Amino acid sequence: MTDNPRQLAFVTLRDIQRRGAFADIVLDEKLRQADLKDADRRLGTELVYGCTRRRRTLDAIIDRLAKKPAHQQPPDLRIILHLGLYQLCFSSNIPPSAAVNTTVDLTKVNNLSGLGGFVNGLLRQYLRLVEAGNSLESILQLPENPVSRLGILHSFPDWMIKFWLEELGESQTQQLCDWFNQSPSLDLRINPLSTTLETVETAFQQQEIIGSPLPKLPQGWRLSSGVGAIRNLPGYDQGWWTVQDASAQLVGYIVDPQPGEIIIDACAAPGGKTTHIAELMGDNGKVIAIDRSPGRLKPLKQNINRLKLRSIQVEVGDSRHFPQYNNMADRVLLDAPCSGGGTLHRRSDSRWRQTPDQIRQLSQLQAELLEMVSHWVKPGGVLVYATCTLYPQENEWAIASFLSRHPSWRVEVPNLDLPVEPTKEGWLKIWPHRHQMDGFFIAKLRH
Ligand SMILES: C[S@@+](CC[C@H](N)C(=O)[O-])C[C@H]1O[C@@H](n2cnc3c(N)ncnc32)[C@H](O)[C@@H]1O
């Protein structure tokens, strides 16, 4: 059991690399086994997520300063160098000498004492360059080509940068990269069936937790600082609120469910939007929540109990195979499985896991789901298609291809005062750096 946050970060990063495991899952496991104060837990977490996110940039510094490139360094040494360089480049509150000394200590604890001098030398070489007035960009001697230049500087794969450059141009791509490299904010959605925004605000203020209402989202509240364990916050057990990002809250309003209606949520787990829909209907009507993953439906069932909602019926299964619901629903929500390209700030390793090939496979599944669940909608009813990604293959192209095969359907511009303007096509494309919320795509269709 370690009481050293840097050692915790080292063993976590080593496990992520050896096992190919998800960063948040391994970190959770290690934090449970560790004996750390709150501040040290925060430092260990920042180091793990930061080194994972900034891997490409950190490797590029090693490539510049060491004789051998990063990928030829012994794997454990490479992790130790990442930890040291991350603290020197990206942590604002760690004195450089502490960063260097604690990193050299890691070589001793992990049977790499012989390499302590090399680590010390490389980190001090970096510091000397900074002290001589060199920026990170000049230390990296970046290539002219904007794709590699931005990819190395902001630590993203080239194919992602290429896509953003095409959609946004250089200046906005930089802004988007900065957004995805920062720690995510935490938004709550207040449950109007059990409390009010004012009550929640007062209860949080009593614990010195500050937040502010989300503009044009009547139940939304954004926390201004880190808050520790969610379950310990006031009102969790009483079902006063649900954690849900602003852009995901928008989806419920665009579905616009009315009391007494039948709504089907085709990909419901873990249920953030299902429970919002039930709340918006005053828990009066029927929400059928389907998902093919029983494991992901467990938190939905827990949330239904915690929020004391009675209008939700949960079904396990593949939404491509429910012909019994044809022509049954007033409204259908397809919050489709997607690559998550709008939420890269929430998972430090997802930028390295996503591939263009996965996007192609997902777009096939999205098209099949869209086709099948559209049959559930009654004539005159509504189908809302949403994803938390920004790639056209999973969004605009999916809708265009569906509309070309189904001329009786059309895009309907939501008749609501929203924090994001619809595009000229009538759907919402939410870019995080412009709208300060997760990246999302939401299209409302009617036939
Ligand atoms: C983006 S998540 C849904 C998030 C959820 N709507 C919420 O707000 O909490 C996509 C979900 O689709 C489910 N899924 C994937 N393929 C499916 C299918 N063929 N049928 C039903 N559910 C599916 C996944 O298990 C996953 O829970």
Side-chain angles (χ1 to χ4, degrees):
M1 191 184 280
T2 184
D3 61 357
N4 173 349
R6 292 174 176 85
Q7 178 63 10
L8 173 123
F10 171 75
V11 291
T12 307
L13 289 164
R14 192 176 56 185
D15 264 27
I16 294 168
Q17 192 193 64
R18 284 186 186 167
R19 294 200 259 138
F22 286 103
D24 53 348
I25 294 176
V26 185
L27 178 64
D28 214 46
E29 206 176 280
K30 300 289 178 203
L31 281 171
R32 263 187 274 122
Q33 294 158 5
D35 178 23
L36 291 178
K37 294 193 199 82
D38 280 355
D40 285 343
R41 292 174 89 82
R42 282 197 292 276
L43 174 59
T45 303
E46 184 199 334
L47 293 177
V48 170
Y49 288 159
C51 288
T52 306
R53 277 194 196 109
R54 303 278 191 174
R55 200 167 79 190
R56 188 173 181 193
T57 313
L58 298 170
D59 270 349
I61 304 175
I62 300 172
D63 291 350
R64 280 280 150 237
L65 303 186
K67 281 205 186 85
K68 276 199 257 167
H71 72 272
Q72 283 178 14
Q73 302 288 349
D76 286 1
L77 176 65
R78 186 175 175 184
I79 294 172
I80 290 176
L81 289 172
H82 282 181
L83 282 163
L85 288 168
Y86 177 84
Q87 293 170 73
L88 294 179
C89 299
F90 301 112
S91 283
S92 49
N93 47 7
I94 300 174
S97 58
V100 175
N101 295 339
T102 53
T103 308
V104 173
D105 288 346
L106 285 178
T107 61
K108 295 176 194 152
V109 187
N110 295 290
N111 303 321
L112 293 167
S113 299
L115 294 167
F118 168 71
V119 170
N120 186 46
L122 187 135
L123 297 182
R124 291 199 184 279
Q125 191 188 348
Y126 174 82
L127 271 179
R128 274 195 300 277
L129 288 167
V130 173
E131 280 157 13
N134 292 287
S135 65
L136 178 58
E137 290 190 54
S138 68
I139 294 171
L140 288 169
Q141 295 175 24
L142 293 167
E144 290 273 301
N145 164 9
V147 175
S148 317
R149 181 158 45 81
L150 295 174
I152 294 169
L153 183 62
H154 298 290
S155 196
F156 288 90
D158 279 357
W159 70 268
M160 271 185 200
I161 298 281
K162 211 166 158 224
F163 160 76
W164 293 329
L165 281 173
E166 278 161 17
E167 291 270 315
L168 300 169
E170 196 165 327
S171 145
Q172 284 202 49
T173 298
Q174 301 237 30
Q175 291 170 28
L176 184 64
C177 290
D178 287 339
W179 174 277
F180 281 145
N181 277 337
Q182 69 187 8
S183 298
S185 55
L186 187 73
D187 296 344
L188 304 184
R189 190 193 75 228
I190 313 304
N191 175 7
L193 306 182
S194 69
T195 188
T196 62
L197 214 131
E198 293 69 35
T199 311
V200 174
E201 195 163 12
T202 310
F204 273 61
Q205 271 168 0
Q206 279 163 3
Q207 298 203 4
E208 291 176 15
I209 302 169
I210 308 298
S212 52
L214 285 163
K216 299 191 180 180
L217 284 167
Q219 294 163 249
W221 208 59
R222 178 161 291 180
L223 298 172
S224 316
S225 51
V227 286
I230 298 293
R231 284 165 184 272
N232 298 337
L233 295 177
Y236 176 83
D237 290 329
Q238 296 95 313
W240 281 1
W241 46 262
T242 299
V243 172
Q244 190 178 44
D245 187 76
S247 49
Q249 295 188 32
L250 268 171
V251 176
Y253 294 106
I254 290 172
V255 174
D256 195 20
Q258 302 299 312
E261 286 186 339
I262 297 178
I263 317 287
I264 311 182
D265 187 351
C267 292
K273 300 181 191 72
T274 313
T275 50
H276 192 199
I277 289 169
E279 287 168 13
L280 288 172
M281 291 164 78
D283 207 19
N284 171 4
K286 189 169 185 179
V287 187
I288 302 173
I290 307 172
D291 201 283
R292 76 170 171 196
S293 160
R296 286 173 61 88
L297 281 170
K298 269 192 209 144
L300 169 58
K301 290 180 187 160
Q302 286 159 0
N303 274 323
I304 291 173
N305 290 334
R306 190 175 65 84
L307 298 165
K308 302 178 192 71
L309 295 167
R310 289 185 306 199
S311 57
I312 301 169
Q313 169 189 321
V314 177
E315 303 256 6
V316 189
D318 187 323
S319 285
R320 288 170 295 181
H321 309 300
F322 279 90
Q324 63 271 39
Y325 290 144
N326 286 358
N327 282 316
M328 252 193 62
D330 295 288
R331 291 160 207 266
V332 168
L333 169 62
L334 174 57
D335 186 28
C338 73
S339 61
T343 54
L344 295 174
H345 51 314
R346 299 208 173 267
R347 279 185 173 263
S348 58
D349 47 1
S350 57
R351 68 189 68 183
W352 310 121
R353 291 181 180 280
Q354 287 175 14
T355 63
D357 221 37
Q358 280 167 353
I359 293 170
R360 270 190 290 277
Q361 285 169 21
L362 280 162
S363 63
Q364 176 67 32
L365 173 60
Q366 289 152 354
E368 289 172 18
L369 282 163
L370 196 50
E371 179 67 38
M372 299 315 285
V373 309
S374 68
H375 297 299
W376 297 344
V377 184
K378 285 179 190 167
V382 163
L383 169 58
V384 172
Y385 177 84
T387 70
C388 62
T389 194
L390 298 162
Y391 305 115
Q393 293 97 310
E394 299 183 75
N395 296 324
E396 291 90 336
W397 298 1
I399 299 300
S401 149
F402 175 79
L403 292 177
S404 71
R405 281 176 284 114
H406 300 278
S408 65
W409 285 88
R410 61 187 165 76
V411 178
E412 184 172 281
V413 183
N415 184 19
L416 298 164
D417 185 21
L418 299 169
V420 178
E421 282 290 303
T423 63
K424 65 178 185 331
E425 295 87 353
W427 47 63
L428 265 65
K429 179 112 181 210
I430 304 173
W431 287 97
H433 65 288
R434 286 188 199 151
H435 302 112
Q436 281 71 55
M437 48 180 103
D438 286 0
F440 245 83
F441 176 86
I442 313 169
K444 181 176 188 181
L445 309 175
R446 196 184 279 276
H447 83 142

